[in-house]
Amino acid sequence: MPGFEVLGEEEKKEILDVLERGVLFRYGFDEQRKGIFKVASFEKAFAEMCGARYALAVSSGTAALKVALAALGVGPGDEVITQGFTFVATWESIIDAGAVPVFAEIDETLCMDPIDLKKKITPKTKAIIPVHMCGAQARIREILAIADQHGIPVIEDTAQSCGGTLDGRYLGTFGKVGTFSFDSVKTITTGEGGMVLTNDEEVYIRASEFHDHGHDHDPTVGRGQEKRRFFGMNYRMMEIQGALGLAQLRKLPQILERQRANQAQLQEAAGSIKNVSFREVPDPEGDTATFFTFFLPTKELALQCKKILTEAGAAPIYFLENAWHYYPEWEHLIEGKSILRTGWPFRDEAGGIRCSYRKDALSQSDSIMSRAITYPIAIQMDNQIPTIRDALNKAAQEL
Ligand SMILES: *Cc1c(COP(=O)(O)O)cnc(C)c1O
């Protein structure tokens, strides 16, 4: 999925544009910048591509989640439901907001199971964060229907599915807010960076103010003269990142085309494995194809398959054992490890248990993950594909 594979002259030219004027800050410096606003232009182009009214660029995908939660007023006393298969950033941002993360199961989409989501909603649930994991759609319509019944806003964590669609509509535009990451290994990259999308003007304004120390961005007064409606933080993106984003965004269609072609080749080869099934993708046309996942009927067969593939020089990802992305392997969460003297957020100020997480809490997800074999899809894979295809053919013969 990495946009870093196609960094080139276009990115250099955009960055030079910034360096030649010497303005790295996204606001102000009106004379010196001579009309060049890279971050603002990136926001505009991104919003237009997705068909959203507002886009706010931020310093990371984690920051995007944090800003989204703040804009929705989520904090202490609240619960936020996400899924047990994601990147740690999703629940870190919930904890950082002062809320308690609650984990729902995934289903064979590798995304939030709407049926389990229903069971996890309580009067304290103040946001739901489904993650469009591994390049493709969550069952976002079903999730939204449930959330709407309870009047709970949905934040779509679209960090891994930039450019993905469902029935032609861009992921990240279904919920109240959509968040994106442009970190160094994402589909398009600005090194570090993220985006917040929304159609709600008040949410956008709150997000924009919060991400810039609370400044109200009053255009009638100079920077430094602005007032504040509430406290904020610094989650701003800088001009060099905006420049990178503009160049990378123009390459997104080609990136997706190449990934889809690569994914199709692996899917074809895996198709001959006995009793294989594929990840359920609600709309295959809108899959960004950053990963390819197939299932074996049992954990034993999956482990056997993994062994054959690894010995054939094409080691896959086995997410069940993945410490970045899967709940039981998040030992700091399960063991409630905190940097703070009080043990917050796992303990309250009096030292009592505030929230705790059992390693075996997500048995449905465990079962799905235990059967899943995954390959990450790159843009340039011509050298690897024959090896992976041969390995998959070998698995087809031996299993
Ligand atoms: C990468 C990622 C993030 C965090 O993005 P950063 O830009 O690295 O902070 C959040 N959620 C998911 C699902 C991710 O994959």
Side-chain angles (χ1 to χ4, degrees):
M1 65 174 172
F4 68 70
E5 291 178 75
V6 292
L7 290 173
E9 292 306 316
E10 301 78 4
E11 284 80 0
K12 282 188 202 162
K13 188 172 163 296
E14 285 287 350
I15 289 174
L16 277 179
D17 230 13
V18 175
L19 294 181
E20 275 161 12
R21 284 164 186 79
V23 180
L24 299 177
F25 198 50
R26 67 160 299 172
Y27 299 116
F29 296 90
D30 290 348
E31 208 148 297
Q32 203 181 329
R33 70 191 316 142
K34 300 194 174 65
I36 298 285
F37 289 87
K38 295 296 185 190
V39 174
S41 306
F42 179 38
E43 289 171 340
K44 187 162 177 283
F46 198 83
E48 272 171 14
M49 176 190 83
C50 295
R53 281 179 69 193
Y54 304 102
L56 176 75
V58 292
S59 50
S60 70
T62 312
L65 288 160
K66 187 64 204 308
V67 168
L69 287 165
L72 295 174
V74 175
D78 300 338
E79 290 176 357
V80 178
I81 303 175
T82 187
Q83 59 200 52
F85 179 47
T86 180
F87 180 55
V88 289
T90 316
W91 54 266
E92 286 170 346
S93 67
I94 298 169
I95 285 178
D96 201 44
V100 170
V102 173
F103 295 93
E105 300 274 15
I106 56 158
D107 60 22
E108 288 201 2
T109 60
L110 302 185
C111 302
M112 185 180 281
D113 176 6
I115 299 166
D116 193 54
L117 164 64
K118 256 190 218 173
K119 298 180 197 158
K120 302 268 157 87
I121 292 174
T122 75
K124 288 187 171 178
T125 310
K126 287 296 170 324
I128 299 168
I129 312 185
V131 186
H132 299 292
M133 258 319 255
C134 296
Q137 315 92 9
R139 296 187 205 280
I140 191 65
R141 290 217 167 87
E142 290 89 328
I143 291 165
L144 274 174
I146 295 162
D148 286 349
Q149 275 172 9
H150 294 83
I152 303 167
V154 168
I155 299 169
E156 295 171 75
D157 183 343
T158 320
Q160 296 199 5
S161 295
C162 180
T165 55
L166 176 67
D167 303 330
R169 181 166 160 191
Y170 275 81
L171 301 181
T173 65
F174 286 81
K176 191 65 149 174
V177 186
T179 65
F180 295 80
S181 164
F182 312 121
D183 80 20
S184 52
V185 297
K186 294 300 204 279
T187 309
I188 63 171
T189 182
T190 59
E192 299 282 1
M195 194 74 83
V196 177
L197 277 191
T198 184
N199 286 323
D200 185 313
E201 186 175 17
E202 183 57 22
V203 169
Y204 167 71
I205 292 171
R206 285 166 62 92
S208 169
E209 293 178 7
F210 181 78
H211 106 297
D212 182 27
H213 301 297
H215 299 316
D216 65 13
H217 299 155
D218 179 351
T220 65
V221 301
R223 192 155 174 93
Q225 258 59 61
E226 300 159 310
K227 289 280 190 289
R228 292 150 292 246
R229 294 192 293 164
F230 42 72
F231 77 86
M233 196 54 70
N234 171 13
Y235 293 115
R236 290 183 306 257
M237 181 180 268
M238 72 153 167
E239 289 291 278
I240 288 178
Q241 294 164 300
L244 276 168
L246 279 169
Q248 287 263 297
L249 191 61
R250 292 196 285 268
K251 296 180 180 181
L252 182 59
Q254 298 153 253
I255 293 174
L256 298 185
E257 197 183 321
R258 297 278 296 277
Q259 290 179 165
R260 284 169 180 152
N262 293 338
Q263 190 199 48
Q265 290 205 55
L266 298 194
Q267 174 143 358
E268 195 207 300
S272 48
I273 297 173
K274 202 170 120 203
N275 292 325
V276 72
S277 62
F278 298 110
R279 170 189 184 182
E280 201 175 328
V281 177
D283 177 8
E285 265 183 49
D287 183 351
T288 64
T290 52
F291 287 89
F292 166 58
T293 297
F294 60 95
F295 299 109
L296 277 297
T298 64
K299 179 178 184 180
E300 291 64 39
L301 281 166
L303 287 171
Q304 235 177 298
C305 182
K306 175 179 166 241
K307 188 159 177 276
I308 296 167
L309 297 172
T310 304
E311 284 170 5
I317 303 176
Y318 189 53
F319 274 124
L320 182 73
E321 295 166 354
N322 190 286
W324 286 1
H325 294 291
Y326 192 43
Y327 175 91
E329 299 302 318
W330 295 328
E331 80 290 349
H332 51 332
L333 177 83
I334 305 289
E335 293 166 31
K337 292 179 178 170
S338 171
I339 194 172
L340 301 175
R341 171 181 47 80
T342 56
W344 177 272
F346 305 104
R347 290 182 175 275
D348 59 27
E349 282 165 54
I353 301 285
R354 181 170 171 267
C355 56
S356 63
Y357 299 90
R358 277 193 1 250
K359 195 176 163 84
D360 62 357
L362 300 176
S363 57
Q364 175 180 310
S365 304
D366 286 347
S367 152
I368 290 166
M369 287 316 220
S370 74
R371 297 187 292 108
I373 300 282
T374 300
Y375 281 106
I377 304 292
I379 302 167
Q380 285 140 0
M381 283 188 91
D382 291 354
N383 293 332
Q384 294 143 270
I385 283 182
T387 314
I388 304 174
R389 285 182 64 107
D390 287 349
L392 289 166
N393 288 334
K394 193 149 180 277
Q397 284 158 16
E398 293 181 18
L399 283 176

